[in-house]
Amino acid sequence: MAASAEAAALEESFRKFAIYGDTKATGQEMNGKNWAKLCKDCKVSDGKSVTSTDVDIVFSKVKGKTARVINYEEFKKALEELAPKRFKDKSKEEAYEAICQLVAGKEPVNVGVTKAKNVGAVERLTDTSKYTGSHKERFDESGKGKGKSGRENIVDTSGYVSAYKNAGTYDAKVKK
């Protein structure tokens, strides 16, 4: 039971890294960039015994001749290839188990992502309730933009002079 749970966690990690950064990805195949990210984020490549070059070479070895992606089975083969390099003191099976434990249950990490924060000046400048003049006309009471109707003067094509108070009453007068 523990082995199947670990295998499920390993496959889940594969799927999460496979779809990372690609909106069209299905999670069935992983490209080289995401394979390198998985190895870096899960500490498979340590920079000494397993370098980024080793990671790229193993990816090229397990993928098909003309393919640009690997599936889950090829992913497991790639981990088998890297395991003895990463864990030199362990047997091949123990090394594979150890490398699977490194990867299982992990998710892609967003490093260097900038978080937007509101500073006093920005908050004051974007508060639509304090807008005056023509800028005030571009937003409704809740602060939501009106779109095109807030930017352009909509021309009245009714035939009446602008600001005429009795617009639309001619037909009523004629019928009497």
Side-chain angles (χ1 to χ4, degrees):
M1 183 70 184
S4 65
E6 189 175 301
L10 185 68
E11 191 168 357
E12 184 62 27
S13 289
F14 171 80
R15 297 209 189 295
K16 285 179 181 175
F17 277 96
I19 62 171
Y20 180 77
D22 188 5
T23 54
K24 296 179 185 100
T26 60
Q28 304 297 318
E29 297 175 324
M30 180 184 288
N31 60 23
K33 177 180 70 80
N34 289 359
W35 163 249
K37 179 163 181 58
L38 177 138
C39 291
K40 186 174 164 237
D41 287 358
C42 297
K43 310 273 192 293
V44 172
S45 62
D46 55 0
K48 292 182 182 83
S49 57
V50 178
T51 63
S52 62
T53 308
D54 295 327
V55 169
D56 291 338
I57 289 170
V58 167
F59 181 82
S60 296
K61 223 186 263 186
V62 297
K63 73 176 178 58
K65 200 110 178 128
T66 58
R68 302 183 74 163
V69 291
I70 58 173
N71 59 26
Y72 182 65
E73 294 306 315
E74 291 168 331
F75 166 73
K76 290 197 292 190
K77 284 182 201 162
L79 287 180
E80 282 179 36
E81 290 270 338
L82 281 180
K85 276 190 159 198
R86 177 70 168 86
F87 300 101
K88 290 183 173 121
D89 54 338
K90 296 182 178 178
S91 70
K92 203 167 189 168
E93 292 79 24
E94 289 175 337
Y96 179 68
E97 286 295 318
I99 209 164
C100 286
Q101 287 174 354
L102 280 178
V103 175
K106 296 284 192 332
E107 291 183 14
V109 182
N110 292 330
V111 179
V113 176
T114 307
K115 299 239 190 292
K117 61 179 186 177
N118 276 352
V119 183
V122 174
E123 202 169 286
R124 181 175 45 83
L125 292 171
T126 56
D127 184 6
T128 57
S129 66
K130 292 183 172 56
Y131 288 177
T132 59
S134 63
H135 303 292
K136 190 177 199 173
E137 301 299 319
R138 293 177 43 219
F139 300 92
D140 60 10
E141 297 79 37
S142 67
K144 189 173 185 318
K146 291 182 184 176
K148 189 175 181 179
S149 64
R151 290 190 305 272
E152 294 181 356
N153 292 333
I154 308 300
V155 179
D156 181 20
T157 58
S158 66
Y160 287 95
V161 178
S162 63
Y164 180 64
K165 292 183 177 37
N166 297 321
T169 59
Y170 179 75
D171 291 334
K173 288 181 185 177
V174 172
K175 287 181 184 176
K176 287 183 184 176

